[in-house]
Every structure is written in C-alpha cells, then in structure tokens.
Amino acid sequence: MADNISGDLGGLDFSTVSPEEFAKIVKGLSAGQIDETMRGDLRMRVLREVFGRMNQQFRPEAAGDQDVLIRWRITGGSEVVFETAIAGGTCTITEGRSDREPRTTLVMGDAEFLRLVSGNANPVTMFMMRKLKVSGDVVTASGLTRYFDIPKA
C-alpha cells in the first residue's frame, strides 16, 4: 500500500469496486491507514458507498417477515448515523437519525465498522473486546450477518 492511502482512495471510483475487492483493500490497511482514510470528505464518501450497497447485499429470504430498525452510530472525528430499516422483504437505508425507536443500535469506530462490513472482523469478537457496543435487542444484532451477503477478503 502506498504511504498516502487517502490520496489513493480519494481518486478511486467506488462504483467500480466489487464488495470482494473492497474487502481486500480493507484487509490490507493498517489501523493508521484506516484512520487516515476516514478523515474529511473521503470518510463520508466511503460510508455512503458502504451503506448505499447494503440493499444490494440484502438477503430478503433470510430476513423473512422481520420488521426492524437498526441504527448504526459510527464514531470517529465526529459521529455519523445511518439507519437500516428491514420490513416486508426490503431493506431501506437512510442517513441520519429518525424519530423511530430502533430495535438495536450498533456503536463502533471507523476502523471497526469497515472491518465488520468487509468481512474482516468477527462481530462476536468485536463485542467481547468492546470494540462494538450494542444497545437494545442483542438477538437482532447477532442475526444481522445472516441478512446480508458479507464479502470475504
């Protein structure tokens, strides 16, 4: 990896990167490189791309008749909130906090989030090591990995 990883990723057209390629990129980054990447405008580009792809990776057959709202609180230089609403066999992602009460809220740092959604981290291990905090329904949180095709690096 180049020393200026944020410069390299800043020029990347994320729409051309498959989830598997993204997983390999994340796997190759150190914590320091992830911190560098998740600064400034690039942070929101990366987060929006990841959340924007969630509905494409959603597995409605696995979610069944679930009707849940999952709130994602990504901490870092500032907190960013996204919500995943699963209902009626669909998955809808919104940026920001709604008035609706989530069934579960997941709180993690930038590096933990990228490693989790790219298949480079085990959510149970993250929870046990307190790198992932869960409030609300822990059972719903533990089942989330079944509802999405998570890439493997």
Side-chain angles (χ1 to χ4, degrees), residues 84-106:
T84 305
I86 298 172
T90 63
C91 175
T92 306
I93 310 299
T94 55
E95 186 175 339
R97 182 184 306 264
S98 70
D99 292 333
R100 187 174 166 200
E101 188 66 27
R103 182 170 298 172
T104 191
T105 299
L106 307 172

PDB file of all heavy atoms in Angstrom, residues 84-106:
ATOM      1  N   THR A  84     -30.821   1.332   9.089  1.00  0.00           N
ATOM      2  CA  THR A  84     -31.224   0.259   8.194  1.00  0.00           C
ATOM      3  C   THR A  84     -32.602  -0.203   8.645  1.00  0.00           C
ATOM      4  O   THR A  84     -32.747  -0.700   9.760  1.00  0.00           O
ATOM      5  CB  THR A  84     -30.233  -0.932   8.280  1.00  0.00           C
ATOM      6  OG1 THR A  84     -28.917  -0.460   8.035  1.00  0.00           O
ATOM      7  CG2 THR A  84     -30.587  -2.013   7.286  1.00  0.00           C
ATOM      8  N   ALA A  85     -33.592  -0.024   7.778  1.00  0.00           N
ATOM      9  CA  ALA A  85     -34.954  -0.485   8.076  1.00  0.00           C
ATOM     10  C   ALA A  85     -35.225  -1.729   7.237  1.00  0.00           C
ATOM     11  O   ALA A  85     -35.108  -1.701   6.016  1.00  0.00           O
ATOM     12  CB  ALA A  85     -35.969   0.598   7.747  1.00  0.00           C
ATOM     13  N   ILE A  86     -35.556  -2.811   7.920  1.00  0.00           N
ATOM     14  CA  ILE A  86     -35.883  -4.068   7.258  1.00  0.00           C
ATOM     15  C   ILE A  86     -37.354  -4.347   7.532  1.00  0.00           C
ATOM     16  O   ILE A  86     -37.766  -4.440   8.686  1.00  0.00           O
ATOM     17  CB  ILE A  86     -35.005  -5.225   7.785  1.00  0.00           C
ATOM     18  CG1 ILE A  86     -33.527  -4.937   7.484  1.00  0.00           C
ATOM     19  CG2 ILE A  86     -35.447  -6.556   7.203  1.00  0.00           C
ATOM     20  CD1 ILE A  86     -32.555  -5.907   8.111  1.00  0.00           C
ATOM     21  N   ALA A  87     -38.127  -4.439   6.444  1.00  0.00           N
ATOM     22  CA  ALA A  87     -39.567  -4.694   6.588  1.00  0.00           C
ATOM     23  C   ALA A  87     -40.114  -5.165   5.242  1.00  0.00           C
ATOM     24  O   ALA A  87     -39.710  -4.671   4.186  1.00  0.00           O
ATOM     25  CB  ALA A  87     -40.299  -3.440   7.031  1.00  0.00           C
ATOM     26  N   GLY A  88     -41.019  -6.122   5.301  1.00  0.00           N
ATOM     27  CA  GLY A  88     -41.687  -6.581   4.094  1.00  0.00           C
ATOM     28  C   GLY A  88     -40.754  -7.111   3.027  1.00  0.00           C
ATOM     29  O   GLY A  88     -41.024  -6.952   1.835  1.00  0.00           O
ATOM     30  N   GLY A  89     -39.650  -7.699   3.432  1.00  0.00           N
ATOM     31  CA  GLY A  89     -38.711  -8.253   2.464  1.00  0.00           C
ATOM     32  C   GLY A  89     -37.850  -7.213   1.773  1.00  0.00           C
ATOM     33  O   GLY A  89     -37.213  -7.514   0.762  1.00  0.00           O
ATOM     34  N   THR A  90     -37.814  -6.000   2.293  1.00  0.00           N
ATOM     35  CA  THR A  90     -36.972  -4.959   1.708  1.00  0.00           C
ATOM     36  C   THR A  90     -36.040  -4.371   2.764  1.00  0.00           C
ATOM     37  O   THR A  90     -36.282  -4.494   3.961  1.00  0.00           O
ATOM     38  CB  THR A  90     -37.803  -3.806   1.099  1.00  0.00           C
ATOM     39  OG1 THR A  90     -38.538  -3.168   2.141  1.00  0.00           O
ATOM     40  CG2 THR A  90     -38.747  -4.303   0.017  1.00  0.00           C
ATOM     41  N   CYS A  91     -35.013  -3.733   2.279  1.00  0.00           N
ATOM     42  CA  CYS A  91     -34.038  -3.081   3.146  1.00  0.00           C
ATOM     43  C   CYS A  91     -33.891  -1.646   2.651  1.00  0.00           C
ATOM     44  O   CYS A  91     -33.577  -1.420   1.485  1.00  0.00           O
ATOM     45  CB  CYS A  91     -32.704  -3.814   3.062  1.00  0.00           C
ATOM     46  SG  CYS A  91     -31.374  -3.032   3.978  1.00  0.00           S
ATOM     47  N   THR A  92     -34.130  -0.698   3.539  1.00  0.00           N
ATOM     48  CA  THR A  92     -34.023   0.710   3.190  1.00  0.00           C
ATOM     49  C   THR A  92     -32.994   1.353   4.100  1.00  0.00           C
ATOM     50  O   THR A  92     -33.035   1.182   5.318  1.00  0.00           O
ATOM     51  CB  THR A  92     -35.390   1.416   3.376  1.00  0.00           C
ATOM     52  OG1 THR A  92     -36.373   0.707   2.630  1.00  0.00           O
ATOM     53  CG2 THR A  92     -35.320   2.851   2.901  1.00  0.00           C
ATOM     54  N   ILE A  93     -32.078   2.101   3.491  1.00  0.00           N
ATOM     55  CA  ILE A  93     -31.021   2.762   4.237  1.00  0.00           C
ATOM     56  C   ILE A  93     -31.264   4.265   4.208  1.00  0.00           C
ATOM     57  O   ILE A  93     -31.549   4.825   3.145  1.00  0.00           O
ATOM     58  CB  ILE A  93     -29.638   2.483   3.604  1.00  0.00           C
ATOM     59  CG1 ILE A  93     -29.412   0.995   3.362  1.00  0.00           C
ATOM     60  CG2 ILE A  93     -28.526   3.108   4.427  1.00  0.00           C
ATOM     61  CD1 ILE A  93     -29.430   0.132   4.569  1.00  0.00           C
ATOM     62  N   THR A  94     -31.150   4.900   5.362  1.00  0.00           N
ATOM     63  CA  THR A  94     -31.243   6.352   5.418  1.00  0.00           C
ATOM     64  C   THR A  94     -30.073   6.909   6.213  1.00  0.00           C
ATOM     65  O   THR A  94     -29.579   6.263   7.140  1.00  0.00           O
ATOM     66  CB  THR A  94     -32.568   6.838   6.060  1.00  0.00           C
ATOM     67  OG1 THR A  94     -32.695   6.238   7.352  1.00  0.00           O
ATOM     68  CG2 THR A  94     -33.763   6.478   5.203  1.00  0.00           C
ATOM     69  N   GLU A  95     -29.645   8.082   5.808  1.00  0.00           N
ATOM     70  CA  GLU A  95     -28.575   8.763   6.527  1.00  0.00           C
ATOM     71  C   GLU A  95     -29.223   9.665   7.568  1.00  0.00           C
ATOM     72  O   GLU A  95     -30.189  10.364   7.280  1.00  0.00           O
ATOM     73  CB  GLU A  95     -27.743   9.588   5.549  1.00  0.00           C
ATOM     74  CG  GLU A  95     -26.532  10.217   6.169  1.00  0.00           C
ATOM     75  CD  GLU A  95     -25.649  10.932   5.157  1.00  0.00           C
ATOM     76  OE1 GLU A  95     -25.729  10.631   3.948  1.00  0.00           O
ATOM     77  OE2 GLU A  95     -24.885  11.808   5.597  1.00  0.00           O
ATOM     78  N   GLY A  96     -28.702   9.615   8.776  1.00  0.00           N
ATOM     79  CA  GLY A  96     -29.234  10.445   9.848  1.00  0.00           C
ATOM     80  C   GLY A  96     -30.162   9.670  10.764  1.00  0.00           C
ATOM     81  O   GLY A  96     -30.550   8.543  10.484  1.00  0.00           O
ATOM     82  N   ARG A  97     -30.494  10.301  11.851  1.00  0.00           N
ATOM     83  CA  ARG A  97     -31.319   9.702  12.902  1.00  0.00           C
ATOM     84  C   ARG A  97     -32.787  10.054  12.662  1.00  0.00           C
ATOM     85  O   ARG A  97     -33.132  11.213  12.512  1.00  0.00           O
ATOM     86  CB  ARG A  97     -30.861  10.247  14.245  1.00  0.00           C
ATOM     87  CG  ARG A  97     -31.576   9.702  15.453  1.00  0.00           C
ATOM     88  CD  ARG A  97     -31.094  10.383  16.724  1.00  0.00           C
ATOM     89  NE  ARG A  97     -29.648  10.313  16.864  1.00  0.00           N
ATOM     90  CZ  ARG A  97     -29.006   9.395  17.583  1.00  0.00           C
ATOM     91  NH1 ARG A  97     -29.696   8.480  18.231  1.00  0.00           N
ATOM     92  NH2 ARG A  97     -27.707   9.393  17.658  1.00  0.00           N
ATOM     93  N   SER A  98     -33.630   9.039  12.648  1.00  0.00           N
ATOM     94  CA  SER A  98     -35.071   9.260  12.516  1.00  0.00           C
ATOM     95  C   SER A  98     -35.697   9.369  13.910  1.00  0.00           C
ATOM     96  O   SER A  98     -35.022   9.158  14.922  1.00  0.00           O
ATOM     97  CB  SER A  98     -35.724   8.110  11.740  1.00  0.00           C
ATOM     98  OG  SER A  98     -35.719   6.930  12.533  1.00  0.00           O
ATOM     99  N   ASP A  99     -36.990   9.652  13.946  1.00  0.00           N
ATOM    100  CA  ASP A  99     -37.717   9.700  15.218  1.00  0.00           C
ATOM    101  C   ASP A  99     -38.123   8.305  15.689  1.00  0.00           C
ATOM    102  O   ASP A  99     -38.530   8.132  16.830  1.00  0.00           O
ATOM    103  CB  ASP A  99     -38.968  10.575  15.082  1.00  0.00           C
ATOM    104  CG  ASP A  99     -38.615  12.036  14.886  1.00  0.00           C
ATOM    105  OD1 ASP A  99     -37.536  12.459  15.338  1.00  0.00           O
ATOM    106  OD2 ASP A  99     -39.427  12.757  14.273  1.00  0.00           O
ATOM    107  N   ARG A 100     -38.042   7.334  14.791  1.00  0.00           N
ATOM    108  CA  ARG A 100     -38.442   5.966  15.119  1.00  0.00           C
ATOM    109  C   ARG A 100     -37.452   5.345  16.099  1.00  0.00           C
ATOM    110  O   ARG A 100     -36.246   5.561  16.003  1.00  0.00           O
ATOM    111  CB  ARG A 100     -38.501   5.141  13.826  1.00  0.00           C
ATOM    112  CG  ARG A 100     -39.048   3.762  14.009  1.00  0.00           C
ATOM    113  CD  ARG A 100     -39.216   3.066  12.660  1.00  0.00           C
ATOM    114  NE  ARG A 100     -39.433   1.646  12.873  1.00  0.00           N
ATOM    115  CZ  ARG A 100     -39.248   0.725  11.972  1.00  0.00           C
ATOM    116  NH1 ARG A 100     -38.860   1.058  10.752  1.00  0.00           N
ATOM    117  NH2 ARG A 100     -39.461  -0.539  12.247  1.00  0.00           N
ATOM    118  N   GLU A 101     -37.961   4.573  17.031  1.00  0.00           N
ATOM    119  CA  GLU A 101     -37.112   3.893  18.018  1.00  0.00           C
ATOM    120  C   GLU A 101     -36.494   2.651  17.371  1.00  0.00           C
ATOM    121  O   GLU A 101     -37.213   1.786  16.873  1.00  0.00           O
ATOM    122  CB  GLU A 101     -37.961   3.500  19.230  1.00  0.00           C
ATOM    123  CG  GLU A 101     -37.162   2.960  20.387  1.00  0.00           C
ATOM    124  CD  GLU A 101     -36.236   3.995  21.019  1.00  0.00           C
ATOM    125  OE1 GLU A 101     -36.526   5.206  20.953  1.00  0.00           O
ATOM    126  OE2 GLU A 101     -35.212   3.575  21.576  1.00  0.00           O
ATOM    127  N   PRO A 102     -35.161   2.534  17.371  1.00  0.00           N
ATOM    128  CA  PRO A 102     -34.540   1.350  16.781  1.00  0.00           C
ATOM    129  C   PRO A 102     -34.717   0.126  17.681  1.00  0.00           C
ATOM    130  O   PRO A 102     -34.822   0.264  18.901  1.00  0.00           O
ATOM    131  CB  PRO A 102     -33.069   1.733  16.683  1.00  0.00           C
ATOM    132  CG  PRO A 102     -32.870   2.720  17.781  1.00  0.00           C
ATOM    133  CD  PRO A 102     -34.180   3.469  17.897  1.00  0.00           C
ATOM    134  N   ARG A 103     -34.750  -1.037  17.059  1.00  0.00           N
ATOM    135  CA  ARG A 103     -34.762  -2.264  17.856  1.00  0.00           C
ATOM    136  C   ARG A 103     -33.385  -2.500  18.456  1.00  0.00           C
ATOM    137  O   ARG A 103     -33.246  -3.007  19.568  1.00  0.00           O
ATOM    138  CB  ARG A 103     -35.166  -3.474  17.014  1.00  0.00           C
ATOM    139  CG  ARG A 103     -35.217  -4.722  17.898  1.00  0.00           C
ATOM    140  CD  ARG A 103     -35.810  -5.927  17.283  1.00  0.00           C
ATOM    141  NE  ARG A 103     -37.200  -5.723  16.913  1.00  0.00           N
ATOM    142  CZ  ARG A 103     -37.884  -6.607  16.200  1.00  0.00           C
ATOM    143  NH1 ARG A 103     -37.312  -7.729  15.821  1.00  0.00           N
ATOM    144  NH2 ARG A 103     -39.129  -6.375  15.880  1.00  0.00           N
ATOM    145  N   THR A 104     -32.359  -2.134  17.691  1.00  0.00           N
ATOM    146  CA  THR A 104     -30.995  -2.259  18.195  1.00  0.00           C
ATOM    147  C   THR A 104     -30.144  -1.126  17.630  1.00  0.00           C
ATOM    148  O   THR A 104     -30.400  -0.638  16.532  1.00  0.00           O
ATOM    149  CB  THR A 104     -30.391  -3.644  17.849  1.00  0.00           C
ATOM    150  OG1 THR A 104     -29.190  -3.834  18.563  1.00  0.00           O
ATOM    151  CG2 THR A 104     -30.131  -3.802  16.369  1.00  0.00           C
ATOM    152  N   THR A 105     -29.156  -0.728  18.406  1.00  0.00           N
ATOM    153  CA  THR A 105     -28.208   0.298  17.979  1.00  0.00           C
ATOM    154  C   THR A 105     -26.810  -0.288  18.089  1.00  0.00           C
ATOM    155  O   THR A 105     -26.453  -0.869  19.116  1.00  0.00           O
ATOM    156  CB  THR A 105     -28.320   1.565  18.857  1.00  0.00           C
ATOM    157  OG1 THR A 105     -29.640   2.093  18.730  1.00  0.00           O
ATOM    158  CG2 THR A 105     -27.315   2.618  18.447  1.00  0.00           C
ATOM    159  N   LEU A 106     -26.036  -0.121  17.028  1.00  0.00           N
ATOM    160  CA  LEU A 106     -24.654  -0.592  16.982  1.00  0.00           C
ATOM    161  C   LEU A 106     -23.741   0.623  16.985  1.00  0.00           C
ATOM    162  O   LEU A 106     -23.919   1.536  16.175  1.00  0.00           O
ATOM    163  CB  LEU A 106     -24.412  -1.415  15.720  1.00  0.00           C
ATOM    164  CG  LEU A 106     -25.379  -2.575  15.480  1.00  0.00           C
ATOM    165  CD1 LEU A 106     -25.142  -3.186  14.109  1.00  0.00           C
ATOM    166  CD2 LEU A 106     -25.255  -3.616  16.568  1.00  0.00           C
TER     167      LEU A 106
END
